[in-house]
Amino acid sequence: MHTSVSFSQFSDLARAADPIFTRHIQPVDDVLEINRTKNDLLILIEYLLSRMDRFQTGDRVSVQVRRASGLNFGYTPYGVKEALDPFFTENGLIPVVQQADSVVSIYLAFNRAYIGISKPYENLSDWPGGMIRLQKAENQTSRSRFKLEEACLVFDIRLSEYSSALDLGAAPGGWSSYLLDQGLHVTAVDTGELEPALLNHPNLIFCKTNVSDTMFGPDAFEVLTCDMSWDPMHTAKLVSKHLYSLKKRGIAVITIKLMHKKIRKTIDDFVRVLEPDLTCVSIKQLFHNRDEVTAFFRKT
Ligand SMILES: C[S@@+](CC[C@H](N)C(=O)[O-])C[C@H]1O[C@@H](n2cnc3c(N)ncnc32)[C@H](O)[C@@H]1O
């Protein structure tokens, strides 16, 4: 996309807009001719040699490479990093994967490389394409756990600052296990079964029942999570029934299933049902979300 503003200004606008569906952007400072052979690596090194003014000595630099699908290349994305890292070291820079000062983003297409240099925060995510890769926890059986883990990273939620959570639609237990691992006491509600290994956890109470049939005390929890994967309006109404159990300034992380065509309306209607009690902080389609988005609320 060509814009009349600089990438840095564009990024400021994008971050202020807090987009739901855009996880990652990268600048294109230049377009290089390539032929998908190892010779491309020399072209990239030569280019970066001409752009050394963009770095300060001692900068931590990461290289993020993505390729157009369906094309053969004489090297892998990792091969690009392997070729560039020694070049960075020779020139007084520190090659890193995460927590970089600068990111060199390279998108490889049929006969062109789209290359740009930026600060990680300017790209909206410091993961290439916003594709956060999380490590599987020991004994992790459900991929759902990654959704809550990613939500905490993206929304900057420090669960260890809280002590109690209500997890609605908890089975088989990915989110509950993540909450327990962060040191919270968890009350999990589901009509289905939790992983047997979780049931003996001393900080877990499991209510095997319908969310609509449960009631808890006022201000009983500091965190409410809900991943019921059900009709959004029903979910919002069920969650709102439980909000008196969420303490003031408590937080809620809720997935909104996008079952209908009118996505914007679905999200707006969902938020409207909860807004009397909750303030919506942010909504994102996370890398680990499929046909859904994840909303982060705070109780006011
Ligand atoms: C996507 S799964 C949840 C996965 C879970 N977050 C995890 O990490 O393992 C959705 C769950 O919501 C439960 N569920 C949906 N509606 C429910 C309701 N009204 N009452 C109780 N459980 C419900 C389903 O039984 C199902 O286990």
Side-chain angles (χ1 to χ4, degrees), residues 35 44 67 71 103 131 173-174 179 197 219 221 225 265 272 294:
N35 59 11
L44 292 170
R67 299 191 303 192
L71 294 175
V103 182
M131 296 181 280
L179 292 159
D219 301 332
F221 305 102
T225 56
K265 186 175 179 326
R272 206 166 297 121
T294 301

Side-chain angles (χ1 to χ4, degrees), residues 118-132:
S118 52
K119 304 286 170 216
Y121 68 85
E122 290 177 325
N123 295 8
L124 305 186
S125 167
D126 56 1
W127 292 81
M131 296 181 280
I132 297 187

Side-chain angles (χ1 to χ4, degrees), residues 99-117:
Q99 278 144 14
D101 299 306
S102 293
V103 182
V104 177
S105 303
I106 303 169
Y107 183 77
L108 300 164
F110 180 69
N111 58 358
R112 293 200 165 86
Y114 298 84
I115 185 163
I117 301 168

Side-chain angles (χ1 to χ4, degrees), residues 142-145 147 167-176 189-194 209-212 226-230 238 292:
S142 127
R143 277 187 58 79
S144 286
R145 179 181 159 117
K147 282 197 281 185
D167 187 17
L168 302 174
W175 287 31
S176 287
V189 183
D190 206 300
T191 45
E193 299 291 344
L194 281 195
T209 182
N210 197 301
V211 168
S212 60
C226 175
D227 182 30
M228 285 200 304
S229 192
W230 203 33
L238 281 184
E292 61 190 12

Side-chain angles (χ1 to χ4, degrees), residues 162-174:
Y162 302 94
S163 60
S164 54
L166 173 62
D167 187 17
L168 302 174

Side-chain angles (χ1 to χ4, degrees), residues 69-226:
S69 56
L71 294 175
N72 288 324
F73 287 81
Y75 50 88
T76 61
Y78 188 71
V80 177
K81 180 176 160 48
E82 275 187 326
L84 296 187
D85 280 359
F87 161 79
F88 289 136
T89 308
E90 280 161 26
N91 286 278
L93 305 173
I94 304 167
V96 293
V97 176
Q98 290 278 289
Q99 278 144 14
D101 299 306
S102 293
V103 182
V104 177
S105 303
I106 303 169
Y107 183 77
L108 300 164
F110 180 69
N111 58 358
R112 293 200 165 86
Y114 298 84
I115 185 163
I117 301 168
S118 52
K119 304 286 170 216
Y121 68 85
E122 290 177 325
N123 295 8
L124 305 186
S125 167
D126 56 1
W127 292 81
M131 296 181 280
I132 297 187
R133 305 286 175 188
L134 298 169
Q135 266 199 331
K136 235 179 159 187
E138 226 178 284
N139 301 329
Q140 179 176 338
T141 47
S142 127
R143 277 187 58 79
S144 286
R145 179 181 159 117
F146 287 140
K147 282 197 281 185
L148 183 58
E149 198 173 343
E150 184 183 355
C152 290
L153 283 173
V154 169
F155 299 132
D156 197 18
I157 298 170
R158 291 176 201 134
L159 281 177
S160 55
E161 292 174 1
Y162 302 94
S163 60
S164 54
L166 173 62
D167 187 17
L168 302 174
W175 287 31
S176 287
S177 73
Y178 187 65
L179 292 159
L180 289 165
D181 286 351
Q182 304 304 306
L184 284 85
H185 286 72
V186 178
T187 299
V189 183
D190 206 300
T191 45
E193 299 291 344
L194 281 195
E195 283 288 329
L198 267 185
L199 293 173
N200 292 329
H201 197 292
N203 294 340
L204 178 85
I205 295 170
F206 177 40
C207 308
K208 190 174 180 320
T209 182
N210 197 301
V211 168
S212 60
D213 297 337
T214 52
M215 292 255 300
F216 300 94
D219 301 332
F221 305 102
E222 293 177 340
V223 175
L224 183 152
T225 56
C226 175

